[in-house]
Amino acid sequence: MTRTLWDSTVGKKTIMAVTGLVMLGYLVAHMVGNLKIFFGPGEFDGYAHWLRTMGEPVLHYEWALWIVRVGLVAAVVLHGVSAYQLSRRDIRARPAKYVHKRARSSYATRTMRWGGIILALFIVWHILDLTTGTVHTGFEAGHPYQNVIDTFSTWYGNVIYIVAVLAMGLHVQHGFWSAAQTLGVGNATRDRILKTLANLLAAALTVGFISVPVAVMTGVVS
């Protein structure tokens, strides 16, 4: 049954939809957490510490955080592999490119694949920058507020982050609506509402994430 689901086109689209919604939920929570930086280092560092102690005393230090991380990695891998395999199937079924682009195909739709690649590369960079500190000169473990300030005090840190966030916004805009269609939520009556909700979610996430580097660049957060 599981193998049949994975091998079918409908099954892969369903996996993409479910994992996409899981990642969307994480993005919303992550953005809300990021916005705590506007309340100062005590609030932001305290939030980062709470992420490592949540679930105590039932769970040990960082256990809950690692459970979340493993779940997210699984969601990202399943989402990416499904997207790649569906893309290959689409190419095999339509080896010749369309002479004319489909008029109703939005910019977000046409850039979903490239957007996914950009986001995958950004995730690796983001982890090496603010989690492990591998590519972060002067990284201080246990001082996330200062590490964020350091990252967004560099031109390349801002460019990488903002480009990735813009790609994420386009990905969410199309992905949310597409997931709703795959899971059978959309119909002729609800399509307008779903598209509006997709646009609002994409806009809110984009503005929320970009507000942090902009605040550092302008000195609002320092």
Side-chain angles (χ1 to χ4, degrees):
M1 178 65 180
T2 302
R3 182 72 191 201
T4 302
L5 176 68
W6 175 252
D7 288 339
S8 69
T9 297
V10 172
K12 290 184 188 298
K13 287 184 176 181
T14 301
I15 289 169
M16 280 194 70
V18 172
T19 54
L21 292 176
V22 168
M23 290 185 286
L24 178 60
Y26 168 76
L27 285 172
V28 172
H30 189 40
M31 181 197 70
V32 171
N34 281 3
L35 294 179
K36 286 183 176 292
I37 201 166
F38 289 98
F39 297 94
E43 186 83 12
F44 191 75
D45 289 352
Y47 165 70
H49 178 70
W50 173 80
L51 288 176
R52 287 157 175 75
T53 59
M54 62 180 174
E56 290 185 347
V58 177
L59 299 176
H60 291 288
Y61 184 75
E62 286 197 345
W63 277 22
L65 182 59
W66 275 106
I67 290 171
V68 172
R69 285 170 173 168
V70 171
L72 281 171
V73 168
V76 169
V77 171
L78 286 171
H79 194 82
V81 171
S82 296
Y84 174 77
Q85 292 181 348
L86 285 171
S87 175
R88 299 306 301 172
R89 285 186 182 183
D90 183 53
I91 291 172
R92 286 196 298 269
R94 179 178 45 82
K97 292 184 177 179
Y98 290 116
V99 176
H100 300 289
K101 291 182 179 179
R102 287 169 290 185
R104 296 187 64 183
S105 178
S106 69
Y107 182 76
T109 303
R110 296 194 302 270
T111 57
M112 281 293 282
R113 290 167 188 168
W114 281 110
I117 293 172
I118 290 172
L119 290 173
L121 293 174
F122 172 72
I123 289 171
V124 175
W125 165 267
H126 199 49
I127 291 171
L128 295 176
D129 180 32
L130 292 174
T131 301
T132 67
T134 307
V135 298
H136 187 136
T137 303
F139 179 83
E140 296 182 57
H143 295 84
Y145 183 92
Q146 189 57 49
N147 291 333
V148 170
I149 299 298
D150 289 346
T151 287
F152 297 134
S153 295
T154 62
W155 68 266
Y156 57 86
N158 288 312
V159 170
I160 292 171
Y161 191 85
I162 290 173
V163 168
V165 168
L166 292 175
M168 177 272 299
L170 288 171
H171 214 76
V172 168
Q173 181 189 38
H174 176 71
F176 179 81
W177 184 81
S178 180
Q181 303 306 307
T182 298
L183 297 175
V185 177
N187 58 35
T189 304
R190 290 193 289 263
D191 274 358
R192 184 185 297 272
I193 296 174
L194 289 169
K195 287 182 178 180
T196 300
L197 184 56
N199 290 336
L200 289 174
L201 273 170
L205 286 168
T206 301
V207 172
F209 279 115
I210 288 181
S211 67
V212 177
V214 170
V216 175
M217 284 189 285
T218 57
V220 174
V221 172
S222 61

